[in-house]
Amino acid sequence: MSDAITQSNTGIPAMSAQGESWQMQQKRSGRLGVNAAFLQEIKDDNRQLKTDWDRLVPMLAHPETALNHWNEIVAALAELRDQLAIHFSLEEAYGYFDDAIDVAPHLSVEAESLKGQHTALFAQIRDLADQFAEADLNRDGQVEKLLRKFDAFQAEFQTHEESELKLILDSFGDDIGVGD
């Protein structure tokens, strides 16, 4: 029996001869490991998120445009809300935060902070989708107010995603010895 990790028929890494899972071996080695199935799911999720944003943003560029596409916007925000639920779940379920912390423990405070932002960001998009769906379009300033809220959410989400990317790149930089 070899020490190599084998793939089971389900695609889940099997135990090594020493009884360690793939993740345990990765953590013990001090390397950040990512499996192909995880990468494909994240890639698909990111592609869908980009499609959702690309569809939604032009409709929200101007109040008159938004009014002309209000039903589409409401549907697109519901789709974005649902996709963000998947996005945040994938990030947390596959443990890239945990792996980054294991590889580079000094990044743990930042990782926990970013992970904690998921709940608040999801609550914001959920509430925003509800507010758009329930908006009184005849009320003065209602559309402009909602567009400003969306812009603020989009900026906050973008900052969050950039911070996550930086965290991962920083942990990979530590893993491969950048700056040695």
Side-chain angles (χ1 to χ4, degrees):
M1 187 174 210
S2 78
D3 282 341
I5 297 173
T6 59
Q7 290 288 92
S8 68
N9 289 340
T10 63
I12 299 170
M15 294 291 193
S16 70
Q18 298 161 329
E20 292 181 319
S21 72
W22 173 79
Q23 286 181 324
M24 288 170 58
Q25 285 188 353
Q26 294 300 312
K27 290 176 183 179
R28 184 176 49 104
S29 71
R31 291 191 309 259
L32 184 61
V34 182
N35 72 34
F38 167 68
L39 285 177
Q40 187 59 49
E41 280 198 59
I42 290 293
K43 184 178 173 182
D44 293 345
D45 169 64
N46 285 336
R47 187 178 299 124
Q48 185 59 50
L49 265 179
K50 182 175 178 355
T51 299
D52 291 347
W53 284 110
D54 288 349
R55 186 173 127 213
L56 191 55
V57 169
M59 291 188 288
L60 296 169
H62 190 273
E64 289 179 29
T65 305
L67 279 170
N68 289 332
H69 295 278
W70 200 261
N71 290 335
E72 291 173 73
I73 290 169
V74 168
L77 279 170
E79 289 175 27
L80 179 63
R81 178 202 57 220
D82 295 348
Q83 191 60 41
L84 285 175
I86 292 167
H87 177 75
F88 294 143
S89 295
L90 281 173
E91 288 180 345
E92 293 180 22
Y94 282 103
Y96 82 71
F97 285 108
D98 297 334
D99 289 344
I101 291 168
D102 290 337
V103 170
H106 64 282
L107 299 175
S108 64
V109 171
E110 184 177 354
E112 286 302 318
S113 173
L114 289 169
K115 190 175 181 181
Q117 290 175 10
H118 289 170
T119 301
L121 286 167
F122 183 74
Q124 286 178 32
I125 190 61
R126 181 197 61 220
D127 293 347
L128 197 55
D130 290 347
Q131 290 169 17
F132 269 78
E134 298 166 0
D136 178 358
L137 301 179
N138 296 319
R139 208 168 129 206
D140 282 345
Q142 180 75 20
V143 172
E144 291 84 357
K145 179 182 174 184
L146 289 172
L147 295 182
R148 283 191 303 276
K149 284 184 174 186
F150 177 81
D151 288 343
F153 171 76
Q154 183 182 16
E156 187 173 344
F157 178 75
Q158 184 65 37
T159 299
H160 171 81
E161 290 296 297
E162 289 168 3
S163 295
E164 284 182 343
L165 179 59
K166 183 182 180 313
L167 172 72
I168 292 169
L169 292 175
D170 288 349
S171 70
F172 273 115
D174 287 349
D175 181 37
I176 62 173
V178 172
D180 287 347

